[in-house]
Amino acid sequence: MSNQVQIRPITAAETYPLRHQVLWPQESPDYVKLNYDDQGHHFGAFYNNQLVSVISLFIDGNVARFRKFATRPDCQGQGIGSRLLRHVLEYARDKGAQRIWCDARAVNEAFYRAFGLEPEGNRFYRGTIPYMRMARDLKEPVL
């Protein structure tokens, strides 16, 4: 499958349907928009020419943050999201970021640990969903 997946830049607006469907379907579509989306680098993973995974990257000096990482449920567990995240980690590193972080849903901790991200601080909640900040240095290449 990995040969059939293409990763390419997309617009913020192109991320909204998947952000909404996967992350916050119970909220209004506007809930998934960020006030500063126009400042981000947005990427999509396409499988059979369909957008199946999205992620948004924001770089501030030498620190990067990724947000709104969403993969269509029927495409999860197939390595598509992993390829997309690996691409974004390398992209951030290539753009001069020395550290990257995200607010991860606690249920996804093991997934992010596989990419070298480690928890920082205490769990917190958005509504009833537990989150944790996870981060890693980008001095070494991403495996």
Coordinates of all heavy atoms in Angstrom, one line a residue, residues 7-92:
I7 N 2.0 11.8 -0.5 CA 1.9 12.9 0.5 C 2.3 14.2 -0.2 O 3.3 14.3 -0.9 CB 2.9 12.6 1.6 CG1 2.4 11.3 2.4 CG2 2.9 13.8 2.6 CD1 3.4 10.9 3.4
R8 N 1.4 15.2 -0.1 CA 1.6 16.4 -0.7 C 1.0 17.6 0.1 O 0.1 17.4 0.9 CB 1.2 16.4 -2.1 CG -0.3 16.2 -2.4 CD -0.6 16.2 -3.9 NE -2.0 16.0 -4.2 CZ -2.5 14.9 -4.6 NH1 -1.8 13.8 -4.9 NH2 -3.8 14.8 -4.9
P9 N 1.5 18.8 -0.1 CA 0.9 20.0 0.5 C -0.5 20.1 0.1 O -0.9 19.9 -1.1 CB 1.8 21.1 0.1 CG 3.0 20.5 -0.4 CD 2.7 19.2 -0.9
I10 N -1.4 20.6 1.0 CA -2.8 20.9 0.7 C -3.1 22.2 1.4 O -2.3 22.7 2.2 CB -3.7 19.8 1.2 CG1 -3.6 19.5 2.7 CG2 -3.5 18.5 0.4 CD1 -4.6 18.5 3.2
T11 N -4.3 22.7 1.2 CA -4.7 24.0 1.8 C -5.3 23.6 3.2 O -5.7 22.5 3.4 CB -5.7 24.7 1.0 OG1 -6.9 23.9 0.9 CG2 -5.2 25.0 -0.4
A12 N -5.4 24.6 4.0 CA -6.0 24.4 5.3 C -7.5 24.0 5.1 O -8.0 23.0 5.8 CB -6.0 25.7 6.1
A13 N -8.2 24.6 4.2 CA -9.6 24.2 3.9 C -9.7 22.8 3.5 O -10.8 22.1 3.9 CB -10.2 25.1 2.9
E14 N -8.7 22.2 2.8 CA -8.8 20.8 2.5 C -8.7 19.9 3.7 O -9.1 18.7 3.6 CB -7.7 20.5 1.4 CG -8.0 21.1 0.1 CD -6.8 20.8 -0.9 OE1 -5.8 21.4 -0.7 OE2 -7.0 20.0 -1.8
T15 N -8.2 20.4 4.8 CA -8.1 19.5 6.0 C -9.4 19.5 6.8 O -9.6 18.5 7.5 CB -7.0 20.0 6.9 OG1 -7.4 21.3 7.5 CG2 -5.6 20.2 6.2
Y16 N -10.2 20.4 6.6 CA -11.4 20.6 7.5 C -12.4 19.4 7.5 O -12.8 18.9 8.5 CB -12.2 21.9 7.2 CG -11.4 23.1 7.4 CD1 -11.7 24.3 6.7 CD2 -10.3 23.2 8.2 CE1 -11.0 25.5 6.9 CE2 -9.6 24.4 8.4 CZ -9.9 25.5 7.7 OH -9.2 26.7 7.9
P17 N -12.7 18.8 6.3 CA -13.7 17.7 6.4 C -13.1 16.5 7.2 O -13.9 15.9 8.0 CB -13.9 17.3 4.9 CG -13.6 18.6 4.1 CD -12.5 19.2 4.9
L18 N -11.9 16.1 7.0 CA -11.3 15.0 7.8 C -11.2 15.4 9.2 O -11.4 14.6 10.1 CB -10.0 14.5 7.2 CG -10.1 13.4 6.2 CD1 -8.7 13.0 5.7 CD2 -10.8 12.2 6.8
R19 N -10.7 16.6 9.5 CA -10.6 17.0 10.9 C -11.9 16.9 11.6 O -12.0 16.3 12.7 CB -10.2 18.5 11.0 CG -8.8 18.9 10.7 CD -8.6 20.4 10.8 NE -7.3 20.9 10.5 CZ -6.9 22.1 10.6 NH1 -7.8 23.0 11.0 NH2 -5.7 22.5 10.3
H20 N -13.0 17.3 10.9 CA -14.3 17.2 11.5 C -14.8 15.8 11.7 O -15.2 15.4 12.7 CB -15.3 18.0 10.7 CG -16.7 18.1 11.3 ND1 -17.7 17.4 10.7 CD2 -17.1 18.7 12.4 CE1 -18.8 17.7 11.4 NE2 -18.5 18.4 12.5
Q21 N -14.7 15.0 10.6 CA -15.2 13.6 10.6 C -14.5 12.8 11.7 O -15.1 12.0 12.4 CB -15.0 13.0 9.2 CG -15.3 11.5 9.2 CD -14.8 10.8 7.9 OE1 -14.2 11.4 7.1 NE2 -14.9 9.5 7.9
V22 N -13.2 12.9 11.8 CA -12.4 12.0 12.6 C -12.2 12.5 14.1 O -12.4 11.8 15.0 CB -11.0 11.8 12.0 CG1 -10.1 10.9 13.0 CG2 -11.1 11.1 10.7
L23 N -12.0 13.8 14.2 CA -11.6 14.4 15.6 C -12.8 14.9 16.4 O -12.9 14.6 17.6 CB -10.6 15.5 15.4 CG -9.3 15.1 14.7 CD1 -8.4 16.3 14.5 CD2 -8.6 14.0 15.5
W24 N -13.7 15.6 15.8 CA -14.8 16.2 16.5 C -16.1 16.2 15.7 O -16.7 17.2 15.5 CB -14.4 17.7 16.8 CG -13.2 17.8 17.7 CD1 -11.9 18.1 17.3 CD2 -13.1 17.6 19.1 NE1 -11.1 18.2 18.3 CE2 -11.8 17.8 19.5 CE3 -14.1 17.3 20.0 CZ2 -11.4 17.7 20.8 CZ3 -13.6 17.1 21.4 CH2 -12.3 17.4 21.7
P25 N -16.6 15.0 15.4 CA -17.8 14.9 14.6 C -19.0 15.4 15.3 O -20.0 15.8 14.7 CB -17.9 13.4 14.3 CG -17.2 12.7 15.4 CD -16.0 13.7 15.7
Q26 N -19.0 15.4 16.6 CA -20.2 15.9 17.4 C -20.2 17.4 17.5 O -21.2 18.0 17.9 CB -20.1 15.3 18.8 CG -19.0 15.9 19.7 CD -17.6 15.4 19.5 OE1 -17.3 14.7 18.5 NE2 -16.7 15.7 20.4
E27 N -19.2 18.1 17.0 CA -19.2 19.6 17.0 C -19.5 20.1 15.6 O -19.6 19.4 14.7 CB -17.8 20.1 17.4 CG -17.3 19.6 18.8 CD -18.1 20.2 19.9 OE1 -18.7 21.2 19.8 OE2 -18.0 19.6 21.0
S28 N -19.7 21.4 15.6 CA -20.0 22.1 14.3 C -18.7 22.0 13.4 O -17.6 21.9 14.0 CB -20.4 23.5 14.5 OG -19.3 24.3 14.8
P29 N -18.8 22.1 12.1 CA -17.6 22.0 11.2 C -16.7 23.2 11.6 O -15.5 23.0 11.4 CB -18.2 22.2 9.8 CG -19.6 21.5 9.9 CD -20.1 21.9 11.3
D30 N -17.1 24.3 12.0 CA -16.2 25.4 12.3 C -15.4 25.2 13.5 O -14.3 25.8 13.7 CB -17.1 26.7 12.6 CG -17.6 27.3 11.3 OD1 -17.0 27.0 10.2 OD2 -18.5 28.2 11.3
Y31 N -15.7 24.2 14.3 CA -15.0 23.9 15.5 C -13.6 23.4 15.2 O -12.7 23.6 16.0 CB -15.7 22.8 16.3 CG -15.1 22.5 17.7 CD1 -15.4 23.3 18.8 CD2 -14.3 21.4 17.9 CE1 -14.9 23.0 20.0 CE2 -13.8 21.1 19.1 CZ -14.1 21.9 20.2 OH -13.5 21.7 21.4
V32 N -13.4 22.8 14.1 CA -12.0 22.3 13.7 C -11.1 23.3 13.0 O -10.0 23.0 12.7 CB -12.2 21.0 12.8 CG1 -13.0 19.9 13.6 CG2 -12.8 21.3 11.5
K33 N -11.6 24.5 12.8 CA -10.8 25.5 12.2 C -10.0 26.2 13.2 O -10.4 26.5 14.3 CB -11.7 26.5 11.4 CG -12.4 25.9 10.3 CD -13.4 26.9 9.6 CE -14.2 26.2 8.5 NZ -15.1 27.2 7.9
L34 N -8.7 26.5 12.9 CA -7.8 27.3 13.8 C -7.7 28.7 13.2 O -7.6 28.9 12.0 CB -6.5 26.6 13.8 CG -6.4 25.2 14.3 CD1 -5.0 24.6 14.1 CD2 -6.8 25.1 15.8
N35 N -7.7 29.7 14.2 CA -7.6 31.1 13.8 C -6.4 31.4 13.0 O -6.3 32.3 12.2 CB -7.6 32.0 15.0 CG -9.0 32.0 15.7 OD1 -10.0 31.7 15.0 ND2 -9.0 32.3 17.0
Y36 N -5.3 30.6 13.2 CA -4.0 30.8 12.5 C -3.7 29.7 11.4 O -2.6 29.5 11.1 CB -2.9 30.9 13.5 CG -2.9 29.8 14.5 CD1 -2.2 28.7 14.3 CD2 -3.6 29.9 15.7 CE1 -2.2 27.6 15.2 CE2 -3.6 28.9 16.6 CZ -2.9 27.7 16.3 OH -2.9 26.7 17.3
D37 N -4.7 29.1 10.9 CA -4.5 28.1 9.9 C -3.8 28.6 8.7 O -3.0 27.9 8.0 CB -5.8 27.4 9.4 CG -6.2 26.2 10.1 OD1 -5.3 25.4 10.6 OD2 -7.4 25.9 10.2
D38 N -4.0 29.9 8.4 CA -3.3 30.5 7.2 C -1.8 30.5 7.4 O -1.0 30.7 6.5 CB -3.8 31.9 6.9 CG -3.7 32.8 8.1 OD1 -3.7 32.4 9.3 OD2 -3.5 34.0 7.8
Q39 N -1.3 30.4 8.6 CA 0.2 30.4 8.9 C 0.8 29.0 8.9 O 2.0 28.9 9.1 CB 0.4 31.1 10.3 CG -0.1 32.5 10.3 CD -0.1 33.0 11.7 OE1 0.7 32.6 12.6 NE2 -1.0 33.9 12.0
G40 N 0.0 28.0 8.7 CA 0.5 26.6 8.8 C 0.9 26.0 7.5 O 0.7 26.5 6.4
H41 N 1.5 24.9 7.6 CA 1.9 24.0 6.5 C 1.0 22.8 6.7 O 1.0 22.1 7.7 CB 3.4 23.6 6.6 CG 4.3 24.7 6.7 ND1 5.0 25.2 5.7 CD2 4.8 25.4 7.8 CE1 5.8 26.2 6.1 NE2 5.7 26.3 7.4
H42 N 0.2 22.6 5.7 CA -0.8 21.5 5.7 C -0.5 20.4 4.7 O -0.1 20.7 3.6 CB -2.2 22.1 5.5 CG -2.5 23.3 6.3 ND1 -2.9 23.2 7.6 CD2 -2.4 24.6 6.1 CE1 -3.1 24.4 8.1 NE2 -2.8 25.3 7.2
F43 N -0.6 19.2 5.2 CA -0.2 18.1 4.3 C -1.3 17.0 4.3 O -2.0 16.8 5.3 CB 1.1 17.4 4.8 CG 2.2 18.3 4.8 CD1 2.6 19.1 5.9 CD2 3.0 18.4 3.6 CE1 3.7 20.0 5.8 CE2 4.1 19.3 3.6 CZ 4.4 20.1 4.7
G44 N -1.4 16.4 3.2 CA -2.4 15.3 3.0 C -1.8 14.0 2.5 O -0.8 14.1 1.7
A45 N -2.3 12.9 3.0 CA -1.9 11.6 2.4 C -3.1 11.2 1.5 O -4.2 11.1 2.0 CB -1.6 10.6 3.5
F46 N -2.7 10.8 0.3 CA -3.7 10.4 -0.7 C -3.5 8.9 -1.0 O -2.4 8.5 -1.3 CB -3.6 11.2 -1.9 CG -4.0 12.7 -1.8 CD1 -3.1 13.6 -1.2 CD2 -5.2 13.1 -2.1 CE1 -3.4 14.9 -1.0 CE2 -5.6 14.5 -2.0 CZ -4.7 15.4 -1.4
Y47 N -4.6 8.2 -0.9 CA -4.6 6.8 -1.3 C -5.6 6.6 -2.4 O -6.8 7.0 -2.2 CB -4.9 5.9 -0.1 CG -5.0 4.4 -0.4 CD1 -3.8 3.7 -0.8 CD2 -6.2 3.8 -0.2 CE1 -3.9 2.4 -1.1 CE2 -6.2 2.4 -0.5 CZ -5.1 1.7 -0.9 OH -5.2 0.4 -1.2
N48 N -5.2 6.0 -3.5 CA -6.1 5.9 -4.7 C -6.7 7.3 -5.0 O -7.9 7.4 -5.3 CB -7.2 4.9 -4.4 CG -6.6 3.5 -4.4 OD1 -5.6 3.2 -5.0 ND2 -7.3 2.6 -3.8
N49 N -5.9 8.3 -4.9 CA -6.2 9.7 -5.2 C -7.3 10.3 -4.3 O -7.9 11.3 -4.6 CB -6.7 9.8 -6.7 CG -5.5 9.6 -7.6 OD1 -4.4 10.1 -7.4 ND2 -5.8 8.8 -8.7
Q50 N -7.6 9.6 -3.2 CA -8.5 10.2 -2.2 C -7.7 10.6 -1.0 O -6.8 9.9 -0.5 CB -9.5 9.1 -1.8 CG -10.5 8.7 -2.8 CD -11.5 7.7 -2.3 OE1 -11.7 7.5 -1.1 NE2 -12.3 7.2 -3.2
L51 N -8.1 11.8 -0.4 CA -7.5 12.3 0.8 C -7.9 11.5 2.0 O -9.1 11.4 2.3 CB -7.9 13.8 0.9 CG -7.3 14.5 2.1 CD1 -5.7 14.5 2.0 CD2 -7.8 15.9 2.2
V52 N -7.0 10.8 2.6 CA -7.4 9.9 3.7 C -6.7 10.2 5.0 O -7.1 9.7 6.1 CB -7.1 8.4 3.3 CG1 -7.9 8.0 2.1 CG2 -5.6 8.2 3.1
S53 N -5.8 11.2 5.0 CA -5.1 11.6 6.3 C -4.6 13.0 6.1 O -4.1 13.4 5.0 CB -4.0 10.6 6.6 OG -3.4 10.9 7.9
V54 N -4.7 13.8 7.2 CA -4.3 15.2 7.1 C -3.5 15.5 8.4 O -3.8 14.9 9.5 CB -5.5 16.2 7.0 CG1 -6.2 16.0 5.7 CG2 -6.5 16.1 8.1
I55 N -2.7 16.5 8.3 CA -2.0 17.0 9.5 C -1.6 18.5 9.2 O -1.3 18.8 8.0 CB -0.7 16.2 9.8 CG1 -0.1 16.5 11.1 CG2 0.3 16.3 8.7 CD1 0.9 15.4 11.6
S56 N -1.5 19.3 10.2 CA -1.1 20.7 10.1 C 0.1 21.0 11.0 O 0.1 20.6 12.1 CB -2.3 21.6 10.4 OG -3.4 21.3 9.6
L57 N 1.0 21.7 10.4 CA 2.3 22.0 11.1 C 2.5 23.5 11.2 O 2.3 24.2 10.2 CB 3.5 21.4 10.3 CG 4.9 21.6 10.8 CD1 5.1 20.9 12.1 CD2 5.9 21.3 9.7
F58 N 2.9 23.9 12.4 CA 3.1 25.3 12.6 C 4.5 25.4 13.2 O 4.9 24.8 14.2 CB 2.1 25.8 13.6 CG 0.7 25.7 13.1 CD1 0.0 24.5 13.4 CD2 0.1 26.6 12.3 CE1 -1.3 24.3 12.9 CE2 -1.2 26.5 11.8 CZ -1.9 25.3 12.1
I59 N 5.3 26.3 12.6 CA 6.7 26.4 13.0 C 6.9 27.9 13.5 O 6.5 28.8 12.9 CB 7.7 26.2 11.8 CG1 7.5 24.8 11.3 CG2 9.1 26.4 12.3 CD1 8.2 24.5 10.0
D60 N 7.5 27.9 14.7 CA 7.7 29.2 15.4 C 9.2 29.2 15.8 O 9.5 28.6 16.8 CB 6.8 29.4 16.6 CG 6.9 30.8 17.2 OD1 7.7 31.6 16.7 OD2 6.4 31.0 18.3
G61 N 10.0 29.8 15.0 CA 11.5 29.8 15.3 C 12.0 28.4 15.1 O 11.8 27.8 14.1
N62 N 12.6 27.9 16.2 CA 13.2 26.5 16.1 C 12.3 25.5 16.8 O 12.7 24.4 17.0 CB 14.6 26.5 16.6 CG 14.6 26.8 18.1 OD1 13.6 27.1 18.8 ND2 15.8 26.8 18.7
V63 N 11.0 25.9 17.0 CA 10.1 24.9 17.6 C 8.9 24.7 16.7 O 8.4 25.7 16.2 CB 9.6 25.4 19.0 CG1 8.6 24.5 19.6 CG2 10.8 25.6 20.0
A64 N 8.5 23.5 16.5 CA 7.4 23.2 15.6 C 6.3 22.5 16.5 O 6.6 21.8 17.4 CB 7.8 22.3 14.5
R65 N 5.1 22.6 16.0 CA 3.9 22.0 16.6 C 3.0 21.4 15.5 O 2.8 22.1 14.5 CB 3.1 23.0 17.5 CG 1.9 22.4 18.1 CD 1.1 23.4 18.8 NE 0.0 22.8 19.5 CZ -1.0 23.5 20.2 NH1 -1.0 24.8 20.2 NH2 -1.9 22.8 20.8
F66 N 2.6 20.2 15.7 CA 1.6 19.7 14.7 C 0.3 19.5 15.4 O 0.2 19.3 16.6 CB 2.1 18.4 14.0 CG 2.3 17.2 14.9 CD1 1.3 16.3 15.1 CD2 3.5 16.9 15.4 CE1 1.5 15.2 15.9 CE2 3.8 15.8 16.2 CZ 2.7 14.9 16.4
R67 N -0.7 19.7 14.6 CA -2.1 19.7 15.2 C -3.0 19.1 14.2 O -2.7 19.0 13.0 CB -2.6 21.2 15.4 CG -1.7 21.9 16.4 CD -2.4 23.2 16.9 NE -3.6 22.8 17.7 CZ -4.5 23.7 18.1 NH1 -4.3 25.0 17.8 NH2 -5.5 23.3 18.8
K68 N -4.2 18.7 14.7 CA -5.3 18.3 13.8 C -4.9 17.1 12.9 O -5.2 17.1 11.7 CB -5.9 19.4 13.0 CG -6.3 20.6 13.9 CD -7.4 20.3 14.9 CE -7.8 21.6 15.6 NZ -8.7 21.2 16.7
F69 N -4.2 16.2 13.5 CA -3.8 15.0 12.7 C -4.9 14.0 12.7 O -5.4 13.5 13.8 CB -2.5 14.4 13.5 CG -1.9 13.2 12.8 CD1 -2.1 12.9 11.5 CD2 -1.1 12.4 13.6 CE1 -1.5 11.8 10.9 CE2 -0.5 11.3 13.1 CZ -0.7 11.0 11.7
A70 N -5.4 13.7 11.5 CA -6.6 12.8 11.4 C -6.5 11.9 10.2 O -6.1 12.3 9.1 CB -7.8 13.7 11.3
T71 N -6.8 10.6 10.5 CA -6.8 9.6 9.4 C -8.1 9.0 9.4 O -8.7 8.7 10.4 CB -5.7 8.6 9.7 OG1 -4.4 9.2 9.7 CG2 -5.7 7.5 8.6
R72 N -8.7 8.9 8.2 CA -10.0 8.3 8.0 C -10.0 6.9 8.7 O -9.1 6.1 8.6 CB -10.3 8.1 6.5 CG -11.7 8.2 6.1 CD -11.9 8.3 4.6 NE -11.5 7.0 4.0 CZ -11.4 6.8 2.7 NH1 -11.6 7.8 1.8 NH2 -11.1 5.6 2.2
P73 N -11.1 6.6 9.5 CA -11.1 5.4 10.3 C -10.8 4.1 9.5 O -10.1 3.2 9.9 CB -12.5 5.4 10.9 CG -12.9 6.9 10.9 CD -12.2 7.5 9.7
D74 N -11.3 4.0 8.3 CA -11.1 2.8 7.5 C -9.7 2.7 6.9 O -9.4 1.7 6.4 CB -12.2 2.7 6.4 CG -12.0 3.8 5.3 OD1 -11.9 5.0 5.7 OD2 -12.1 3.5 4.1
C75 N -8.9 3.7 7.1 CA -7.5 3.7 6.6 C -6.5 3.7 7.8 O -5.3 3.7 7.6 CB -7.3 4.9 5.8 SG -8.2 4.9 4.2
Q76 N -7.0 3.6 9.0 CA -6.1 3.6 10.2 C -5.5 2.2 10.3 O -6.1 1.2 9.9 CB -6.9 4.0 11.4 CG -7.3 5.4 11.4 CD -8.1 5.8 12.6 OE1 -8.3 5.1 13.6 NE2 -8.7 7.0 12.6
G77 N -4.3 2.1 10.9 CA -3.6 0.9 11.1 C -3.0 0.3 9.9 O -2.6 -0.9 9.9
Q78 N -2.9 1.1 8.8 CA -2.3 0.6 7.5 C -1.0 1.3 7.2 O -0.4 1.1 6.1 CB -3.3 0.8 6.4 CG -4.6 0.0 6.6 CD -5.6 0.3 5.6 OE1 -5.3 0.4 4.4 NE2 -6.9 0.4 5.9
G79 N -0.5 2.1 8.1 CA 0.8 2.8 7.9 C 0.7 4.2 7.2 O 1.7 4.8 7.0
I80 N -0.5 4.6 6.8 CA -0.7 5.8 6.1 C -0.4 7.0 7.0 O 0.4 7.9 6.6 CB -2.1 5.9 5.4 CG1 -2.3 4.8 4.4 CG2 -2.3 7.3 4.8 CD1 -3.7 4.6 3.9
G81 N -1.0 7.0 8.1 CA -0.8 8.1 9.1 C 0.7 8.1 9.5 O 1.3 9.2 9.7
S82 N 1.3 7.0 9.7 CA 2.7 6.9 10.1 C 3.6 7.6 9.0 O 4.5 8.3 9.3 CB 3.2 5.5 10.3 OG 2.5 4.9 11.4
R83 N 3.3 7.3 7.8 CA 4.1 7.9 6.7 C 3.9 9.4 6.7 O 4.8 10.2 6.5 CB 3.7 7.4 5.3 CG 4.3 6.0 5.0 CD 4.3 5.6 3.6 NE 4.8 6.7 2.7 CZ 4.6 6.7 1.4 NH1 3.9 5.8 0.8 NH2 5.1 7.6 0.7
L84 N 2.7 9.9 6.9 CA 2.4 11.3 7.0 C 3.1 12.0 8.1 O 3.7 13.0 8.0 CB 0.9 11.5 7.0 CG 0.4 13.0 7.0 CD1 0.9 13.7 5.7 CD2 -1.1 13.1 7.1
L85 N 3.1 11.4 9.3 CA 3.7 12.0 10.4 C 5.2 12.0 10.2 O 5.9 13.0 10.5 CB 3.4 11.2 11.7 CG 4.0 11.7 13.0 CD1 3.7 13.2 13.2 CD2 3.6 10.9 14.2
R86 N 5.8 10.9 9.7 CA 7.2 10.9 9.4 C 7.6 12.0 8.5 O 8.6 12.7 8.7 CB 7.6 9.5 8.9 CG 9.1 9.2 8.9 CD 9.4 7.8 8.5 NE 8.9 6.8 9.5 CZ 7.9 6.0 9.3 NH1 7.2 6.0 8.2 NH2 7.6 5.2 10.3
H87 N 6.8 12.2 7.5 CA 7.0 13.3 6.5 C 7.1 14.7 7.2 O 8.0 15.5 6.9 CB 6.0 13.3 5.4 CG 6.1 14.4 4.4 ND1 6.9 14.3 3.3 CD2 5.5 15.6 4.4 CE1 6.8 15.5 2.7 NE2 5.9 16.3 3.3
V88 N 6.1 14.9 8.1 CA 6.0 16.2 8.8 C 7.2 16.4 9.7 O 7.7 17.5 9.9 CB 4.6 16.3 9.5 CG1 4.6 17.4 10.5 CG2 3.6 16.5 8.4
L89 N 7.6 15.3 10.4 CA 8.7 15.4 11.3 C 10.0 15.8 10.5 O 10.8 16.7 10.9 CB 9.0 14.1 12.1 CG 7.9 13.7 13.1 CD1 8.1 12.3 13.6 CD2 7.7 14.7 14.2
E90 N 10.2 15.2 9.4 CA 11.4 15.5 8.6 C 11.2 16.9 8.0 O 12.2 17.6 7.9 CB 11.5 14.5 7.4 CG 12.1 13.1 7.9 CD 13.5 13.2 8.4 OE1 14.2 14.2 8.1 OE2 13.9 12.3 9.1
Y91 N 10.1 17.3 7.5 CA 9.8 18.6 7.0 C 10.2 19.7 8.0 O 10.9 20.6 7.7 CB 8.4 18.7 6.5 CG 8.0 20.0 5.9 CD1 8.2 20.2 4.5 CD2 7.5 21.1 6.6 CE1 7.9 21.4 3.9 CE2 7.2 22.3 6.0 CZ 7.4 22.5 4.7 OH 7.1 23.7 4.1
A92 N 9.7 19.5 9.2 CA 10.0 20.4 10.3 C 11.5 20.5 10.6 O 12.0 21.6 10.7 CB 9.2 20.0 11.6

